[in-house]
Amino acid sequence: MPSQISTVEELRTGGTILPILRWGNPVLHRPTRPVTAFDDELRELVRNMFATMYAAEGVGLAATQVGVDLAVFVYDCPDDDQVRHVGVMCNAEVSLPEGKDRKLHAADEGCLSLPGAYIELARPDYAICRGLDQNGENVQVIGTGLLARCLQHETDHLNGIVFGDRLAGRARKKLYALHEDAADLYPDDWPVTPRDDKE
Ligand code: ZN
């Protein structure tokens, strides 16, 4: 039982913006530890993750991206009907359609840990994500559109996978080149220090 019940609304305010780690940092490329304690420490982490995601103008952020090897991500992302979904997902698992129900959708994808670079990646256009919320309660989110992509991308982070791992060598090379072109805009501690063209 959590010592205190908190709402997503509470956790979306009062956090501290943290630097976002870049691909290559080992914490981003290792599986994470499951969340077992739904306590003040988790609440503080989640608050800081929301603050960091909003400062970076992202739709999802995993704990590994702020250097914590715990299986938790936050999201604030529209689905295919432009319905906004906001929440906390711990110990996430994704179920994808199989057989004739499996439809791939190719769209540009990016990662806050490789800022300024986007490239097309085909993923199933529908995903069910199951896990625990910030209070340790079971939750299930059905993702369509961008939300389907977000839930798959963030769950990958919990397993130490970045979306570059899902690209063919040539596409990955292009993605890194795009990041290199944009890298000057992003200070090392971004988004603590905003993007250069936003100051
Ligand atoms: Zn990412």
Side-chain angles (χ1 to χ4, degrees):
M1 275 292 288
S3 50
Q4 173 194 335
I5 298 292
S6 43
T7 64
V8 168
E9 207 46 52
E10 285 162 22
L11 298 176
R12 285 178 59 226
T13 58
T16 302
I17 301 170
L18 302 174
I20 295 178
L21 304 183
R22 306 289 166 87
W23 291 5
N25 191 301
V27 72
L28 282 163
H29 305 281
R30 287 194 298 244
T32 52
R33 295 177 293 125
V35 177
T36 53
F38 297 85
D39 55 6
D40 282 342
E41 199 179 326
L42 179 69
R43 279 187 282 276
E44 190 190 346
L45 171 65
V46 164
R47 261 199 192 93
N48 295 344
M49 287 167 62
F50 271 118
T52 304
M53 177 180 77
Y54 289 130
E57 299 177 355
V59 294
L61 183 82
T64 51
Q65 296 180 275
V66 293
V68 178
D69 69 335
L70 267 183
V72 53
F73 67 81
V74 299
Y75 59 94
D76 185 341
C77 183
D79 66 16
D80 213 17
D81 298 315
Q82 295 310 311
V83 176
R84 185 177 162 197
H85 297 256
V86 189
V88 179
M89 186 66 80
C90 303
N91 308 342
E93 283 180 25
V94 155
S95 308
L96 299 171
E98 283 170 24
K100 65 173 171 42
D101 293 330
R102 185 178 169 94
K103 292 185 189 72
L104 293 181
H105 179 238
D108 275 357
E109 186 159 327
C111 180
L112 296 178
S113 292
L114 195 77
Y118 298 85
I119 204 160
E120 198 172 84
L121 176 65
R123 290 190 187 262
D125 63 355
Y126 180 93
I128 300 176
C129 190
R130 295 186 184 89
L132 303 172
D133 71 7
Q134 69 279 4
N135 300 309
E137 298 291 331
N138 285 304
V139 279
Q140 171 176 304
V141 181
I142 293 176
T144 58
L146 184 60
L147 183 61
R149 183 170 296 275
C150 172
L151 294 170
Q152 292 173 69
H153 179 116
E154 300 308 330
T155 302
D156 274 353
H157 272 305
L158 306 191
N159 295 314
I161 297 165
V162 298
F163 88 93
D165 299 336
R166 295 193 176 277
L167 296 171
R170 204 166 155 179
R172 194 182 312 136
K173 238 174 145 175
K174 190 177 166 200
L175 181 71
Y176 277 110
L178 290 167
H179 169 65
E180 280 305 309
D181 287 347
D184 285 351
L185 293 174
Y186 296 91
D188 286 346
D189 67 347
W190 178 77
V192 176
T193 303
R195 224 168 69 181
D196 263 6
D197 54 346
K198 291 214 165 168
E199 282 182 292

